[in-house]
Amino acid sequence: MNTDQAFDLLKDAGVSESSSIQTVRRWLREGKIKYEGGSVKRKTGYIMDDTDQAFEMLKDAGVAESNSVQTVRRWLGEGKIKYAGNGKRKTGYISDDTASKLAINDIIDQNKDEIIHRLKLKIQTQDKHIEGIEELHETAKRILIQQRDMFKKEVAFLKNEKSELQNETKNLLKENIDLRNELIKLKENIRNNYNFDATAQSNDYSKKLGLSKMASVKDVLAEYKGLLKITHPDHNGNAKVFHYIKTDYDNFRKSNKGK
């Protein structure tokens, strides 16, 4: 350590300028420091080897022990001291081993407390992060459950609708089959009962239609209209049958005009 370094350290430790000058001069006379002014550059990032040397220097300069502990801790953190001592250093300084050990233990304990404090803060941060993730998980879980229930309701609704459509389709198909069967029977009855002889007499119209001889003109016309509708080619009827019925219908209307 040179005179400039010693002077700067004493001032940094809170020693007045005048006391620092006197102490540096005394250390120089005692051979504890070298006279190497500011022109000499430091080869390392630290000034002193260990905390023991720092405590001894501050004690010799008259700095209170409590202030020495804080200062040495700060210098150690700033890299001005290479490493923590063990209280057994043998130098030109006369040190109090007990005080050095207490000071070192105090530094170690405080470092431990600081590490523990940082770890606790880190754990708290991680706990909050985990709580946030758990909350997001629960929210996502609730949303998925709601969506699942909604999909189940939609599936049940679609199944019910499908069943109703199937039943309706079956009913329509059955109704269509019944209507076709009825139409087939009606056409067969027409072919079996109606006389398609074009030479038939006009008084045979009721007989041709299967009506009573007492049937009125209105009843006969209504029956003809029904047959014409059924046998019409546009309704998949037989064109030949439609022609015979249409001829009789026209003849019957002509013969009964004015009645």
Side-chain angles (χ1 to χ4, degrees), residues 184-212:
I184 291 172
K185 288 180 181 178
L186 184 57
K187 289 181 178 180
E188 289 177 352
N189 290 333
I190 291 172
R191 293 191 187 96
N192 294 332
N193 299 326
Y194 193 82
N195 185 357
F196 296 104
D197 187 358
T199 62
Q201 301 296 321
S202 62
N203 58 357
D204 292 329
Y205 292 121
S206 298
K207 184 178 180 180
K208 288 180 180 181
L209 296 170
L211 298 175
S212 172

